[in-house]
Amino acid sequence: DAGITQSPRYKITETGRQVTLMCHQTWSHSYMFWYRQDLGHGLRLIYYSAAADITDKGEVPDGYVVSRSKTENFPLTLESATRSQTSVYFCASRWTPNNEQFFGPGTRLTVL
Amino acid sequence: KQEVTQIPAALSVPEGENLVLNCSFTDSAIYNLQWFRQDPGKGLTSLLLIQSSQREQTSGRLNASLDKSSGRSTLYIAASQPGDSATYLCAVLDAKAAGNKLTFGGGTRVLVKP
């Protein structure tokens, strides 16, 4: 199906484990983004990418790593998960700065 | 630094009443403003995008206005229905921010009572 998909939709892991959240979009949008959403903090940008092989930090990048070898994929890796990284993670994409931004369905991550 | 505020944080109206949702931003140098809807446990759904050169945008029962000079946008939802119950977020694309990133408001949680 066209659009943005995220996998897994739900994930439970333990402190110290590495976790990778996947994001795939079928529109060939240039821009892709990772956000986390927490009560009391709203949506916060983790990392973003303007094109394949171009990534940059957002507001809260510590503890996360991204890559973008292909335009359509933008995986987010938690190198050593901590309880403070328990959150709902959203991937988003946009064609150009002046276009609408679209969001994926989210991944609910729990770190025990 | 751009700041986006949505007041009130929560709103309850009877079915059929028109909804008026407010969004204010501190820096008028924006490319565009986007309104989203978020249902509990779901992702954000784009409702309307208003470019900085536009004054309003309409889609069905939704109408969004933009007044850049005063740093305000208003989302109007006509003849509200229980299915309109959700959290509504506005976001601005700041012309001065690196990376063309959206700045989000905290959202207004809407409950439409039957």
Side-chain angles (χ1 to χ4, degrees):
Chain A
D1 287 345
I4 303 181
T5 55
Q6 293 183 235
S7 62
R9 295 293 315 280
Y10 302 90
K11 177 73 177 178
I12 299 174
T13 191
E14 295 177 340
T15 302
R17 291 191 180 259
Q18 183 179 81
V19 177
T20 295
L21 310 183
M22 304 301 293
C23 177
H24 176 78
Q25 51 103 355
T26 61
W27 294 307
S28 299
H29 283 174
S30 297
Y31 291 86
M32 295 189 76
F33 306 84
W34 273 107
Y35 295 86
R36 60 179 290 175
Q37 188 176 40
D38 305 282
L39 278 174
H41 291 281
L43 277 161
R44 291 183 290 176
L45 182 65
I46 305 171
Y47 268 96
Y48 65 97
S49 169
D53 297 321
I54 301 174
T55 62
D56 209 343
K57 297 177 181 178
E59 291 178 72
V60 289
D62 293 344
Y64 303 95
V65 174
V66 293
S67 62
R68 195 165 175 210
S69 57
K70 292 184 178 181
T71 299
E72 61 267 28
N73 296 325
F74 191 37
L76 176 74
T77 298
L78 287 67
E79 294 187 297
S80 178
T82 64
R83 289 181 182 163
S84 65
Q85 293 177 311
T86 293
S87 185
V88 181
Y89 291 85
F90 290 104
C91 179
S93 74
R94 191 167 72 228
W95 177 234
T96 69
N98 281 342
N99 288 113
E100 282 181 280
Q101 184 159 311
F102 296 95
F103 281 77
T107 294
R108 184 173 295 275
L109 176 68
T110 301
V111 183
L112 301 176
Chain B
K1 179 185 171 185
Q2 178 78 264
E3 291 181 2
V4 181
T5 304
Q6 292 183 252
I7 295 173
L11 184 60
S12 179
V13 299
E15 181 177 3
E17 192 166 298
N18 295 335
L19 278 165
V20 180
L21 305 178
N22 299 306
C23 173
S24 61
F25 47 95
T26 54
D27 191 334
S28 61
I30 64 170
Y31 283 128
N32 56 50
L33 183 145
Q34 196 168 351
W35 282 95
F36 295 89
R37 168 186 171 137
Q38 185 175 29
D39 293 288
K42 304 289 187 183
L44 280 70
T45 300
S46 176
L47 297 175
L48 289 167
L49 174 73
I50 312 178
Q51 302 293 351
S52 62
S53 58
Q54 296 177 309
R55 296 283 295 187
E56 66 177 313
Q57 192 67 255
T58 299
S59 176
R61 292 186 295 114
L62 277 58
N63 175 278
S65 66
L66 175 63
D67 184 342
K68 253 190 8 172
S69 60
S70 67
R72 292 183 184 177
S73 177
T74 304
L75 178 65
Y76 301 90
I77 303 177
S80 62
Q81 304 167 358
D84 294 327
S85 298
T87 297
Y88 292 83
L89 298 103
C90 69
V92 299
L93 186 57
D94 192 346
K96 296 175 186 173
N100 296 298
K101 297 168 286 187
L102 288 176
T103 302
F104 284 85
T108 295
R109 189 169 69 251
V110 170
L111 175 64
V112 180
K113 295 185 278 189

